Amino acid sequence: MQKLIINGGARLEGKIQINGSKNAVLPIAVAAAILGDSVSVLHNVPNLTDVRTLSAVLEGLGASITRKNGSLYIEPINRMEYEAPYDLVRKMRASIYVLGPLVAKLGRAKVSFPGGCAIGPRPVDLHIRGLERLGAQVEVKRGYIYAQAERLVGAEIDLIGQHGPSVGATANVMMAATLAEGTTVIQGAACEPHISDLARFLNAMGADVDGIGTSTLTIRGVKQLHGTEHTVISDDIEAGTFMVAAAMTNGDVYIEGITPPQTHAVSEKLIEAGVQLDWDRTGVRVTTPGQLKPIDVTTAPFPGFPTDMQAQMMGLLSLASGTSTITENVHTDRFIHAAELNRMGADIRLEGRKAIINGVSSLSGAPVMASDLRAGAVLVVAGMAAAGETTVSRIYHIDRGYEAIEKKLNSIGADIRRVSDSE
Ligand code: UD1
């Protein structure tokens, strides 16, 4: 295993380019590999562990995937393989995305039931409910979800769960509905930018999805989808993470390849906390003219403040001049990073789904451990802002969603080394 050793205290300065969105490319690759009848080419694909894990799942199903210069060439499945095994699915929950498309295309699917993870239990009841509404017979036994249907049939489906809309269930059911007979209406659909990117991709394949970007999606089923070429949108969470990194190191960083609507909720909160954002046509310059101010943040589905930026925001608010709060409404157990930040000198107290953050004047380097992807990212960012050396272990979590994070940050002034655990 590898770890990152961060020599803190550097001021980030320069230009950094944002990669394609992980959460967009995962369902898009699934659609290309399972629903399409001919080759698709995806551009702006980040080189991440999650993308490689998903490629292995899709290759196991019979697709053929080649990566060349940031593009994926996806030849769709060509045999009747319908099982996604535990060994692969356990590495990445997003493997559940193959469930709906497999039933739609092959009439049946057997997908390992994804487990919980460090950010909470993460059920899949909405995915199952949606597919049942489309006429699939779904059964969970011996750790697998079995689904089958001769042909799915369009229906009215409400996908609102106890924590609001579900990104994954919306993607799964929307993909399945593209090949169903008749019209499907999804109420309470997730509106995240990556869901819209998936819908645009499906339409380019010949699907008929209406209401893109809203909470009501209307999908008129078609008989067949073909391969297409698509450039994946940029990663709003990577951009948000680097905005926070710039602010926490009192830096001056230009973040290229991101637009205001993608990061609206995060930008609003950064500005409220005293960060200056100067947007132009290609990106945003991030500076922090004065002391960071305390604020209150509540996570919510898009267009609300994203749960995937909650950890990074907690790091930033640790250095504000007063008491902030963060209320986590999406993944209510997602606070493991608070204890790690406290090891670095932060003053964070948890009360149920609320974190109370008393700002401190500085952080100090310490050995810490990444518990999930974004919890890992905040430790790297905090490590750059802290005095002294921080060692972040279990960085395989970080590599799931950030391509060569240390190279990018070192290019704008950070001092981060990747070493193997034995060093
Ligand atoms: C996706 C993102 C993840 C992000 C999350 C919320 C990907 C690959 N991952 O995860 O980074 O944190 O959206 O923005 O895109 N829920 C149910 N039943 C279900 C499904 C979800 O109750 O069947 C609950 C979840 O436990 C959670 C909430 O709904 O509390 C939202 O989850 P969901 O949007 O489905 O998250 P993912 O798609 O797993």
Side-chain angles (χ1 to χ4, degrees), residues 4-173:
L4 293 177
I5 299 177
I6 303 155
N7 194 5
R11 179 170 187 257
L12 296 185
E13 221 170 335
K15 187 160 91 174
I16 203 162
Q17 175 72 38
I18 295 308
N19 281 24
S21 159
K22 167 179 90 75
N23 288 349
V25 81
L26 297 176
I28 288 174
V30 168
I34 302 180
L35 297 174
D37 276 346
S38 48
V39 175
S40 285
V41 186
L42 309 182
H43 303 296
N44 201 26
V45 176
N47 192 2
L48 304 170
T49 323
D50 267 10
V51 175
R52 292 192 290 275
T53 305
L54 183 76
S55 297
V57 171
L58 297 173
E59 283 172 341
L61 292 168
S64 160
I65 302 180
T66 322
R67 186 184 179 93
K68 218 195 275 167
N69 304 330
S71 299
L72 281 192
Y73 295 76
I74 303 182
E75 214 172 292
I77 53 175
N78 57 7
R79 56 173 200 257
M80 298 297 270
E81 198 63 61
Y82 60 91
E83 178 175 343
Y86 175 69
D87 259 5
L88 288 172
V89 174
R90 78 184 164 84
K91 291 191 188 153
M92 191 186 58
R93 284 183 46 86
S95 312
I96 186 78
Y97 280 148
V98 304
L99 183 67
L102 280 178
V103 194
K105 185 73 184 276
L106 303 179
R108 58 179 175 161
K110 177 183 173 191
V111 179
S112 172
F113 198 97
C117 63
I119 65 175
R122 305 186 78 180
V124 290
D125 56 309
L126 297 170
H127 300 241
I128 293 177
R129 190 211 292 173
L131 293 175
E132 283 178 337
R133 293 282 300 143
L134 291 176
Q137 282 181 320
V138 186
E139 218 184 334
V140 179
K141 53 182 184 197
R142 290 188 291 280
Y144 277 83
I145 306 170
Y146 293 78
Q148 64 176 53
E150 214 148 273
R151 179 152 187 216
L152 297 173
V153 180
E156 286 246 351
I157 303 172
D158 184 348
L159 277 185
I160 288 277
Q162 57 167 337
H163 297 297
S166 159
V167 168
T170 302
N172 221 333
V173 175

Side-chain angles (χ1 to χ4, degrees), residues 255-301:
I255 298 175
E256 191 168 33
I258 191 78
T259 61
Q262 283 177 278
T263 54
H264 181 71
V266 171
S267 297
E268 235 179 19
K269 284 296 169 187
L270 287 175
I271 292 167
E272 200 183 322
V275 180
Q276 187 168 325
L277 300 179
D278 296 302
W279 288 93
D280 63 21
R281 261 183 342 103
T282 54
V284 61
R285 179 178 174 206
V286 185
T287 49
T288 311
Q291 170 69 41
L292 289 167
K293 292 179 255 182
I295 56 169
D296 298 313
V297 177
T298 300
T299 66

